[in-house]
Amino acid sequence: MKRILLLSSAVLLIATLLFVQHLRPKEVSADSFLMDTLVSIKVISSDEPEAKEAIDAALDAMQQLDNQLDRYENSPNNIIYQINQASGKEYISLPDNVLSLIQTALGVSEASQGAFDISVGVLVDLWKKSESEGALPSQSELAQTLSLVDYHAILLGDGNLMLERPGMSLDLGALAKGASADLARDTLLTHGITRGIIDAGGNIVVIGAKDDNTPWKIGIANPNLPGETMGFVEVADTAIVTAGTYQRFYSIQEEQYHHILSPFSGYPAEGLKSVTVLAESSTLADAISTAALVLGPEQGLNLIESYPGAEAILITDQDQVLFSSGAKQYFTLLQEESFYE
Amino acid sequence: MNKGSAIRKRINRWDLGLIVLVLLSALILFAWQQLQPHDATRIRISIDGTESYILNLSEDQVQTYGTTYGEITVEIKDGRVHMLHSSCEEQICVNQGFIQDPGSSIVCIPNQTIIECLGTSQFDGVSR
């Protein structure tokens, strides 16, 4: 009798442990090829079906935004394509979400005095053409193209928009992934998710903390060896976005020209290899990281300081590591001293 | 009657055997979990979301795979892996260079290919 009691207690204990294990929050994740990149979403939840539903909803929302912002695809929902087609001709009505994005972009254009400019589409097209023809753009081509890159000529009306000059072209590539990651976060929050991480091709947004006492640990790519990390930040409820000169290139006459183009010179920006921004909004972090990279070390740092709540880690062309005033508290450097300022 | 003999009387050798069995089972389960490979020495190549190949990072090798959109060539050298060639236009995957840390990955969008170093990463994500 005593033995049966002992055995029953052991079985009951094991069953209780298994049940508790089942109730423990689990990691639920999914990947999808979206926006010309790999998007990964991972959430921590004790309700697995609800978590899967939330992730699916977030990926759907990202896909819809991608459809709206892709300037190359002619589809009924593609607002940017329609705006570009109507440049110099007519106003196009904007959905609220696109209006809000363009307002954010124009705000960063003002703050950076044009270093960030979403009317850069025609310049991007020129460099793509140069790559396919195997010859650098000529000075006259650059001058002609830069006359069509001007955020002042993006005319915002009452819920609508027109590009003032024919031939102008919007390209929201410099903040589309950031906006998409923000949208995914908002969708997950609406579905009751309180802890998770969204990785939109290296644009990261973390929701909550990893657990009650542990922040998320996010590596920052080494611009000299992009497959490795040069350090990490430990954060909660934050977007972490890096603009770098080491990922996408135009290959012309066996030379590589990085893809972040200066709206001032028309050439790839110089002075910084990467800018990593921490901010509440991924959209803003995406835009100001690009703007800072175009502005260079000194003015770039000043721009970041002008945004309360934003912090940044900048790597110069000489491998100096520069920090905004509050960034050091989040950051740990992994590389050797020579990398450091 | 002292305390020791009272306990001995309540727990006979069958009870002791049962306790030892439960403890031993727990120990074996723990040891099994600990001895699972942490996989820092292997990579997985996923193509088109359907095919998947596991390669050993300790064996230097060059492998070429066909994809729906073209072809990729992966090289493993000195415990690290990189995309040696890719038929894609932008060459982002090739430019990324070598990876070796568990959890790190190289992605080629046009070829729908992911190369991952298996194992638990020290990071929850990497901003790039």
Side-chain angles (χ1 to χ4, degrees):
Chain A
M1 182 65 190
K2 204 168 55 185
R3 217 167 295 140
I4 290 170
L5 209 65
L6 192 65
L7 203 62
S8 310
S9 306
V11 168
L12 196 66
L13 182 68
I14 290 167
T16 309
L17 286 173
L18 285 174
F19 183 66
V20 169
Q21 177 76 11
H22 176 73
L23 285 183
R24 270 183 59 192
K26 292 182 195 68
E27 286 187 2
V28 182
S29 62
D31 298 335
S32 182
F33 287 102
L34 280 174
M35 301 176 304
D36 211 16
T37 194
L38 178 70
V39 175
S40 304
I41 299 180
K42 179 168 74 183
V43 305
I44 298 173
S45 168
S46 48
D47 188 335
E48 201 171 332
E50 193 178 85
K52 279 183 178 161
E53 196 180 308
I55 292 174
D56 286 346
L59 289 172
D60 280 350
M62 292 171 102
Q63 178 69 68
Q64 283 173 30
L65 182 64
D66 186 27
N67 294 344
Q68 284 182 308
L69 303 185
D70 184 348
R71 74 186 176 103
Y72 299 106
E73 286 287 328
N74 182 10
S75 69
N77 295 326
N78 193 331
I79 301 301
I80 301 304
Y81 182 88
Q82 291 169 30
I83 290 169
N84 291 345
Q85 290 299 305
S87 65
K89 294 183 216 155
E90 59 179 325
Y91 278 87
I92 299 291
S93 183
L94 297 177
D96 288 347
N97 67 323
V98 178
L99 174 64
S100 165
L101 267 185
I102 288 175
Q103 284 169 335
T104 300
L106 293 178
V108 177
S109 296
E110 281 290 341
S112 65
Q113 296 179 313
F116 182 82
D117 194 327
I118 53 171
S119 67
V120 79
V122 65
L123 183 61
V124 172
D125 292 341
L126 174 66
W127 277 85
K128 283 189 175 172
K129 177 175 149 280
S130 296
E131 185 178 41
S132 66
E133 292 175 353
L136 279 170
S138 68
Q139 286 304 316
S140 63
E141 279 179 314
L142 274 174
Q144 192 184 354
T145 302
L146 287 176
S147 70
L148 297 172
V149 178
D150 180 4
Y151 71 94
H152 295 105
I154 300 171
L155 308 177
L156 256 188
D158 185 17
N160 55 19
L161 183 150
M162 184 174 90
L163 300 175
E164 192 177 43
R165 299 166 210 158
M168 286 183 71
S169 177
L170 291 188
D171 185 330
L172 269 61
L175 80 173
K177 281 183 198 151
S180 190
D182 274 341
L183 180 62
R185 179 199 46 216
D186 295 345
T187 308
L188 292 174
L189 287 172
T190 306
H191 281 74
I193 300 298
T194 55
R195 281 191 279 158
I197 177 166
I198 300 142
D199 181 347
N203 282 35
I204 311 261
V205 171
V206 297
I207 302 173
K210 195 171 181 183
D211 63 40
D212 289 344
N213 303 309
T214 318
W216 297 94
K217 191 173 174 182
I218 308 300
I220 296 173
N222 180 343
N224 296 322
L225 298 164
E228 298 182 9
T229 46
M230 59 110 178
F232 62 89
V233 291
E234 292 181 283
V235 287
D237 282 319
T238 302
I240 307 100
V241 180
T242 299
T245 60
Y246 50 84
Q247 274 204 308
R248 293 178 192 238
F249 298 92
Y250 303 106
S251 297
I252 303 171
Q253 294 166 346
E254 296 183 11
E255 288 286 325
Q256 287 197 314
Y257 299 85
H258 74 78
H259 78 299
I260 300 180
L261 301 169
S262 165
F264 305 133
S265 68
Y267 281 98
E270 292 176 349
L272 288 167
K273 286 181 179 174
S274 75
V275 178
T276 299
V277 172
L278 314 181
E280 191 183 335
S281 158
S282 172
T283 312
L284 184 71
D286 209 358
I288 63 176
S289 59
T290 302
L293 199 132
V294 169
L295 285 170
E298 195 179 328
Q299 288 184 64
L301 209 49
N302 289 340
L303 176 76
I304 303 297
E305 298 289 6
S306 73
Y307 283 92
E311 300 294 348
I313 300 138
L314 299 83
I315 314 294
T316 70
D317 280 349
Q318 282 76 43
D319 288 339
Q320 288 180 312
V321 185
L322 309 175
F323 296 94
S324 63
S325 52
K328 271 188 181 171
Q329 62 180 306
Y330 303 105
F331 182 73
T332 304
L333 189 76
L334 288 174
Q335 299 290 324
E336 69 276 12
E337 284 293 308
S338 64
F339 203 93
Y340 204 66
E341 187 184 10
Chain B
M1 191 186 291
N2 63 34
K3 269 186 183 174
S5 63
I7 289 168
R8 267 197 301 278
K9 198 171 179 185
R10 277 194 215 127
I11 301 174
N12 63 28
R13 59 198 169 110
W14 291 105
D15 299 329
L16 272 173
L18 192 64
I19 289 167
V20 168
L21 192 71
V22 168
L23 286 175
L24 211 62
S25 306
L27 195 68
I28 289 168
L29 194 69
F30 179 74
W32 180 77
Q33 279 185 329
Q34 292 300 305
L35 290 174
Q36 285 303 294
H38 285 262
D39 269 329
T41 57
R42 294 191 299 160
I43 62 160
R44 177 170 51 220
I45 302 169
S46 309
I47 299 171
D48 298 334
T50 50
E51 292 175 81
S52 169
Y53 306 91
I54 303 285
L55 301 180
N56 201 328
L57 265 182
S58 61
E59 292 167 20
D60 285 3
Q61 56 191 298
V62 175
Q63 301 285 350
T64 298
Y65 302 95
T67 71
T68 307
Y69 306 91
E71 193 177 84
I72 58 152
T73 302
V74 174
E75 182 182 35
I76 294 176
K77 197 175 181 188
D78 303 329
R80 304 182 302 161
V81 61
H82 74 139
M83 189 75 89
L84 184 62
H85 295 297
S86 167
S87 57
C88 66
E89 192 181 330
E90 295 200 76
Q91 300 285 293
I92 296 170
C93 52
V94 174
N95 291 327
Q96 192 175 338
F98 283 95
I99 59 168
Q100 60 183 340
D101 296 331
S104 57
S105 60
I106 297 170
V107 179
C108 179
I109 304 293
N111 282 302
Q112 304 263 302
T113 298
I114 306 170
I115 303 168
E116 303 166 81
C117 289
L118 296 176
T120 308
S121 172
Q122 61 171 319
F123 302 118
D124 299 304
V126 176
S127 178
R128 61 180 82 253

